[in-house]
Amino acid sequence: MNAPLPELGVGIGWRPEIAGVLERLPGLRFTEVVAESLTDRALPAPLAQLRERGVTVVPHGIRLSLGGAEDLDQHRVAHLAHCAEVVDAPLVSEHIAFVRAGGTEAGHLLPVPRTRDALDVLAGNVLAAQAELPVPLALEPIAALFDWPEDEMDEAAFLTELLERTGAWLLLDVANLYANAINRGDDLGALLTRLPLERIAYAHVAGGAEHDGLYHDTHTDPVPPEVLALLSELCAVRRPSAILLERDGDYPPEAQLRTELDALARAAGLPAITSDVATR
Amino acid sequence: MSRVELAARQAALVAALVTGGKLPDGVDGARLAIARQALLRKQAGEVATTWPLLAASLGPAWIPSFAQWAAGRPPQGYLRDGWDLARELAAAGQLAPLGRDELAAREVIWRYNGRSAPQRRRLPALRRVPGGMIVGLAGRARRF
């Protein structure tokens, strides 16, 4: 199976608050938009302009609850499919998580128990979603602040089997990987050797901070050096064809965001997107 | 663990996180408490984007105030969460002028019963605020 994304270099998630920053990135060839932030009406104008410039847009779902024991919400699947069509996306992505249960929205991505039965439910939901999607689906393991006592598999084994059973691609979030290793006390060095890196469609990188002795994947803080180092390590083994910075609030001044994108490109060994590709 | 059991476990976890339900068997209570606080901080940040004046009027107290208010309540979306909090603060006489004006501007544009999604008003509405009034007309709030 060919990778769903060509070489697109470094990108940054499109958010209305930083639309202007993206507009002023001459080397930008790829972005992501939160699927739930799009409506059935026309695309936000700045996003439509990026599309006209030839920037690849990947819809990123956050509320499908693929790991939930309740039936998949067909309207949400249809919306994700619709998003893929309106931005002419080569793939869409979602999380390995659940976000609601018993009629209550958690407002957050929650970890699925890594048991055989939960894997069956998750794989069933993924297959059901894929049947309705016009493009391939990439799945992102989340950063979890806690684990379930009933866990039977580690994350690498769970993930490998999920991707094998569903044919889904991997959206590897380097910051989530870092967060989970720190918070579970796992060996960072050994992490990359057990993950199915050949299944990576693209990667995420985000900032975070320590609170209460744990690493929190906040998306509102700068990317720490440790996460950039892990990105470098990943790229040395197998560089993802596209690497995206996620920022979701407390937006820093434009210059700072551009510096962060340059640092990301450096860590990955990719050209900077803040200057024109021709003059890099 | 069947699908039904998984559903029950997930429901118990969400209840423990957002509606003050008891800790599901075997789950690390200290970790869950940290996750609950992280969730409230994140929610405060998101509500602040929809209610910037309300959040700004509380200054550095915004996150702790919001977190305290929201603990044990299921999130109803940024618009309603901020609205409910603003109304409670107003009723207690603790809403600073910026937050009060933002609340009035919302009240004249939308009809909100506190239980279901706000509906856009079809008719003009007004709210008196110290030194004038805020009028909602054709989907926009103006101060007079």
Side-chain angles (χ1 to χ4, degrees), chain A residues 180-255:
Chain A
N180 290 342
I182 294 296
N183 295 343
R184 287 180 189 139
D186 289 348
D187 177 12
L188 256 181
L191 259 181
L192 294 176
T193 59
R194 294 200 47 237
L195 290 169
L197 303 184
E198 71 287 354
R199 298 293 304 164
I200 297 180
Y202 67 112
H204 272 172
V205 178
E210 273 195 43
H211 291 286
D212 315 303
L214 293 178
Y215 182 81
H216 293 247
D217 176 54
T218 61
H219 296 196
T220 56
D221 291 281
V223 179
E226 294 82 357
V227 170
L228 288 175
L230 188 57
L231 173 66
S232 294
E233 208 179 315
L234 168 68
C235 291
V237 183
R238 191 182 185 105
R239 187 165 65 208
S241 43
I243 300 168
L244 184 119
L245 175 66
E246 294 183 289
R247 182 80 189 203
D248 286 297
D250 287 353
Y251 297 99
E254 180 166 5

Side-chain angles (χ1 to χ4, degrees), chain A residues 48 77 101 110 170 175 258:
Chain A
V77 180
L110 298 174
L170 174 59
R258 291 170 69 95

Side-chain angles (χ1 to χ4, degrees), chain A residues 67-70 98 101-102 104-108 110 113 115 117-118 121 125 145-146 148-150 183 211-212 214 216, chain B residues 1-3 6-7 9-11 13-14 17-19 25-28 31-32 34-35 38-39 41-42 46 49 74-75 78:
Chain A
E70 292 162 13
F98 74 103
T104 303
E105 294 285 330
H108 199 63
L110 298 174
T115 63
D117 293 323
V121 168
N125 285 341
L145 287 168
F146 59 89
W148 291 85
E150 52 261 63
N183 295 343
H211 291 286
D212 315 303
L214 293 178
H216 293 247
Chain B
M1 187 167 54
S2 69
R3 193 166 184 134
L6 179 64
R9 288 287 276 168
Q10 291 184 337
L13 187 89
V14 172
L17 264 181
V18 301
T19 56
D25 288 344
V27 173
D28 183 333
R31 284 293 185 102
L32 207 69
I34 292 171
L39 217 145
R41 270 199 303 272
K42 178 173 157 241
E46 290 163 342
T49 63
Y78 317 146

Side-chain angles (χ1 to χ4, degrees), chain B residues 43-52 54 62 66 69 74-87 102-103 105-120:
Chain B
Q43 199 186 342
E46 290 163 342
V47 171
T49 63
T50 305
W51 292 85
L54 172 67
W62 166 249
F66 180 85
W69 174 84
Q76 304 292 348
Y78 317 146
L79 181 61
R80 282 180 60 189
D81 287 344
W83 207 315
D84 291 343
L85 172 57
R87 280 183 176 174
E102 190 169 40
L103 176 63
R106 290 270 151 76
E107 300 273 9
V108 296
I109 303 287
W110 305 83
R111 188 191 309 279
Y112 175 44
N113 63 11
R115 294 182 305 278
S116 53
Q119 304 289 322
R120 228 167 236 287

